[in-house]
């Protein structure tokens, strides 16, 4: 739809509406009748990949003009789409699978619609994060959705270290080719015994759920590298409440380390804090070195401050 360029100047006083519509993550029968109806009645469907969405629309016999809007053209498309909405059009935003804006494009358009006073309505439906959570069976209702970690480097390390301090369930999206690496990094960070669920090809014919410790999941995948295919979500259990002093009113890792570092060399302080918080020693040791650099040097035990 490179020809798509309606005039920006023709706005009416009655704005239309932007519907944000979830689409199936595999099984077409998961799609709701309301989602179908909204798309059928829209003036335009704004799609991440028009070729992909065209197949979905053909299956449901929906014939509505498509406009592409993805990471590479969103900045140019948004003002034009806002102009369509401002003059009364109804637009439906969809992505290739699942819920738009969940590790998917559309944020700029939705933001611009709100800022322009255009009504925005969700049409809820599948999303891999909630689908995987619903079958994980881990205790606790708090979860952190990380989506895709940066693939490498300092950004990845920073995110991993930030995650080590979160108490709830963690959910990751990852490409099959990088899943082993993710399991390894999380095993180093949280310990190989932490429980996790690897949910593969959810709602599709080859749906597979593997629930095991992070260490064992890594071993199982290594033993069958050739079968690591398809779309995957990794759900990691929160830390066992019995091993988690970092709850409300309890000391944080930083405060505990700061106290231990006054008494012990960094390696010993890190080993004790790692055991206390159920974290990997290497991660806590790095944190101890960082913290140690900012702490005043400890006084020798027998020094007399009055002398
Ligand atoms: N917007 C989508 C949603 O609501 O889940 C996510 C889009 S994101 C670009 C694609 C990632 O979602 C995949 O790499 C995978 O991690 C996860 N995913 C999507 N469909 C899946 C499925 N059927 N089974 C397992 N994971 C899936």
């Amino acid at each position: 739809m490179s020809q798509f360029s309606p005039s920006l100047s023709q706005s009416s006083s009655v704005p239309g509406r932007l519907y944000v519509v979830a689409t199936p993550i595999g099984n077409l029968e998961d799609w709701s009748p309301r989602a179908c109806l909204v798309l059928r009645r829209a003036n335009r469907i704004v799609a991440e990949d028009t070729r992909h969405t065209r197949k979905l629309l053909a299956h449901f016999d929906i014939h509505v003009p498509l406009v592409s809007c993805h990471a590479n053209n969103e900045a140019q498309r948004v003002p034009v789409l806002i102009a369509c909405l401002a003059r009364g059009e109804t637009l439906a935003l969809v992505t290739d699978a699942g819920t738009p804006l969940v590790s998917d494009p559309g944020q700029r358009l939705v933001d611009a619609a709100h800022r322009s006073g255009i009504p925005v309505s969700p049409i809820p439906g599948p999303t891999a994060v909630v689908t995987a959570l619903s079958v994980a069976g881990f205790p606790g209702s708090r979860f952190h959705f990380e989506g895709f970690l940066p693939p490498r480097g300092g950004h990845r390390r920073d995110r991993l270290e930030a995650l080590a301090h979160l108490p709830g369930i963690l959910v990751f999206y990852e490409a099959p080719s990088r899943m082993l690496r993710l399991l390894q990094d999380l095993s180093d960070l949280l310990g190989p015994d932490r429980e996790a669920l690897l949910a593969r090809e959810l709602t599709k014919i080859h749906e597979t759920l593997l629930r095991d410790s992070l260490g064992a999941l890594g071993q199982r995948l290594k033993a069958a590298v050739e079968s690591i295919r398809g779309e995957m979500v990794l759900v990691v259990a929160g830390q066992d409440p019995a091993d988690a002093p970092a709850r409300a009113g309890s000391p944080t890792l930083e405060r505990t380390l700061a106290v231990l570092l006054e008494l012990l060399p960094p390696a010993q302080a890190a080993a004790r804090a790692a055991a206390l918080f159920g974290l990997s020693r290497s991660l806590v040791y790095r944190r101890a070195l960082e913290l140690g650099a900012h702490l005043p040097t400890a006084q020798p035990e027998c020094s007399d401050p009055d002398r």
Side-chain angles (χ1 to χ4, degrees), residues 195-218:
E195 286 286 303
L197 173 86
L198 182 62
R200 200 181 136 257
E201 295 286 86
L202 288 163
T203 79
K204 303 184 196 176
I205 293 171
H206 297 293
E207 178 180 278
T208 320
L209 303 182
L210 299 177
R211 199 176 123 157
D212 215 325
S213 66
L214 286 169
L217 279 175

Side-chain angles (χ1 to χ4, degrees), residues 25-26 48 95 97-104 126-129 148 172-175 199-204 231-233:
I25 58 170
E48 177 183 7
T95 53
T99 301
L101 280 72
V102 177
S103 295
D104 258 348
T127 182
V129 44
F148 294 94
F172 300 87
Y173 286 170
E174 190 50 287
R200 200 181 136 257
E201 295 286 86
L202 288 163
T203 79
K204 303 184 196 176
E231 302 203 271
M232 296 180 183
V233 183

Side-chain angles (χ1 to χ4, degrees), residues 75-295:
Q76 299 88 46
R77 279 283 194 256
V78 165
V80 183
L81 294 169
I82 292 295
C84 293
L85 288 159
R87 65 159 184 261
E89 284 194 16
T90 298
L91 301 188
L93 170 69
V94 299
T95 53
D96 290 353
T99 301
L101 280 72
V102 177
S103 295
D104 258 348
Q107 177 270 327
R108 285 183 198 213
L109 178 60
V110 173
D111 180 51
H114 285 298
R115 289 178 190 280
S116 310
I118 287 157
V120 178
S121 290
I123 304 296
T127 182
V129 44
V130 175
T131 308
L133 263 178
S134 73
V135 289
F138 296 134
S141 56
R142 262 190 297 169
F143 71 92
H144 168 85
F145 173 55
E146 181 65 15
F148 294 94
L149 278 175
R152 64 188 75 80
H155 290 317
R156 183 176 177 94
R157 255 197 322 278
D158 291 348
R159 283 307 309 147
L160 283 167
E161 293 193 4
L163 294 172
H165 308 303
L166 293 180
I169 297 168
L170 306 173
V171 188
F172 300 87
Y173 286 170
E174 190 50 287
S177 58
R178 288 199 286 265
M179 185 50 81
L180 257 173
R181 172 79 201 275
L182 177 63
L183 286 167
Q184 186 58 58
D185 284 351
L186 291 174
S187 185
D188 290 347
L189 184 76
L190 308 171
D193 296 334
R194 183 72 71 89
E195 286 286 303
L197 173 86
L198 182 62
R200 200 181 136 257
E201 295 286 86
L202 288 163
T203 79
K204 303 184 196 176
I205 293 171
H206 297 293
E207 178 180 278
T208 320
L209 303 182
L210 299 177
R211 199 176 123 157
D212 215 325
S213 66
L214 286 169
L217 279 175
Q219 294 306 323
R220 288 169 74 175
L221 255 59
K222 261 188 214 150
V225 181
E226 67 292 343
S227 68
I228 313 178
R229 291 201 202 100
E231 302 203 271
M232 296 180 183
V233 183
L234 184 69
V235 184
V236 181
Q239 52 187 329
D240 184 336
D243 307 334
R247 281 168 289 162
S250 305
T252 61
L253 174 65
E254 276 74 12
R255 290 217 308 275
T256 307
L257 264 178
V259 172
L260 289 170
L261 283 167
E262 285 177 13
L263 306 168
L264 298 169
Q268 286 179 31
R272 297 204 181 173
L276 211 64
F277 284 80
L279 297 172
S280 93
R281 272 190 196 205
S282 58
L283 173 103
V284 179
Y285 182 60
R286 276 205 302 278
R287 193 76 195 102
L289 292 182
E290 285 163 16
L291 266 178
H294 302 293
L295 291 173

